[in-house]
Amino acid sequence: MIEVKDVYFTYSTGVEALRGVSVRIGKGEFVAIMGENGAGKTTLIKHFNGLLKPTHGEVFIDGINTRKASIAELSRKIGLVFQNPDHQFFCETAEEEIAFGLRNFGFADRNVHERVEWTLTLLELADYRKSSPFMLSGGEKKRLALASVLAWDPTVLILDEPTIGQDHNQKEKLHKVIGQLTAQEKTVIIVTHDVEFVAECNPRVLIMSQGQIVMDGSA
């Protein structure tokens, strides 16, 4: 599903964020990427949907080299939920935010309505359908960002710090959603510092430090 081959990435500022990263993530896997701030975690996941291209090395999604595919093409398969939801909101209401991606990918109006209703209910956001995304609480914004990506049913779901701002019940809900997705052979990747959540979910864990993967194994 995802293959990273000896990837290096240097930002325009000169900061080398990735240094020789190689990893394979298979269909239906649940993977947590952990490590200190600045380890390269977010930089790595932005390579999976083409937001960033390797300075050296290659990234393949289902055999497609990300250098040769557009972000739009990759995003249909790879759904990325940013750590800061405000960075991906721009519609006036929560339901419009969820519907936007579906319409952009060409879903029929009936399917758009059904999938908006499904995600609003699943993530307990139905009461906020007419609310501005920017007026929601931090935890509600996190759930709306997840809903807006989950709605189009990507093959791979990537979540950057998904448990920030979530109470215990919402973390349990997220755990169940992840379980449902992996049962459908979807690949789920989370970037997180939440050790307790990882311990409860028991995913494969990649530990990063200074731009490299230093450990890879079970939780």
Side-chain angles (χ1 to χ4, degrees):
M1 174 59 68
I2 298 173
E3 186 172 11
V4 180
K5 293 185 174 182
D6 196 29
V7 165
Y8 289 75
F9 182 79
T10 302
Y11 285 99
S12 58
T13 57
V15 174
E16 189 177 45
L18 297 178
R19 300 187 296 129
V21 173
S22 296
V23 68
R24 292 172 62 97
I25 298 174
K27 181 179 181 180
E29 278 201 88
F30 175 26
V31 178
I33 303 176
M34 306 184 75
E36 74 270 19
N37 290 334
K41 305 181 298 296
T42 298
T43 300
L44 177 60
I45 61 173
K46 285 183 177 180
H47 278 74
F48 296 163
N49 72 344
L51 284 174
L52 298 177
K53 310 287 186 182
T55 303
H56 300 290
E58 295 176 309
V59 178
F60 294 90
I61 306 297
D62 278 349
I64 299 171
N65 191 323
T66 58
R67 293 183 187 274
K68 300 177 181 179
S70 69
I71 295 173
E73 291 173 310
L74 293 170
S75 293
R76 184 64 182 89
K77 291 185 175 184
I78 312 289
L80 173 58
V81 180
F82 296 142
Q83 180 176 347
N84 186 343
D86 288 345
H87 291 168
Q88 67 187 82
F89 292 155
F90 54 90
C91 291
E92 293 185 1
T93 67
E95 62 183 0
E96 289 173 358
E97 195 69 52
I98 298 170
F100 177 83
L102 294 166
R103 293 197 176 99
N104 201 39
F105 285 126
F107 282 73
D109 286 345
R110 179 173 60 84
N111 291 333
V112 169
H113 176 74
E114 290 174 351
R115 298 200 69 81
V116 167
E117 292 302 315
W118 173 69
T119 51
L120 284 171
T121 301
L122 178 68
L123 295 169
E124 299 179 2
L125 292 166
D127 291 343
Y128 308 104
R129 65 173 65 243
K130 297 298 183 182
S131 299
S132 165
F134 299 100
M135 297 303 292
L136 301 178
S137 70
E140 290 158 0
K141 287 180 179 180
K142 281 280 188 182
R143 301 206 303 277
L144 178 58
L146 173 57
S148 66
V149 173
L150 197 60
W152 77 69
D153 195 29
T155 307
V156 179
L157 181 66
I158 304 173
L159 310 173
D160 196 352
E161 297 290 357
T163 62
I164 289 178
Q166 304 295 334
D167 61 22
H168 179 73
N169 288 336
Q170 291 301 330
K171 288 184 182 182
E172 284 292 312
K173 173 71 76 173
L174 176 62
H175 188 184
K176 290 179 181 178
V177 169
I178 291 171
Q180 291 169 2
L181 293 171
T182 54
Q184 298 167 17
E185 296 195 315
K186 306 288 187 183
T187 302
V188 180
I189 301 167
I190 64 171
V191 170
T192 185
H193 288 95
D194 193 333
V195 176
E196 290 81 6
F197 185 74
V198 171
E200 291 175 4
C201 295
N202 195 32
R204 172 187 174 188
V205 180
L206 305 178
I207 304 294
M208 295 191 69
S209 180
Q210 298 180 8
Q212 297 179 311
I213 295 175
V214 296
M215 295 184 72
D216 179 355
S218 65

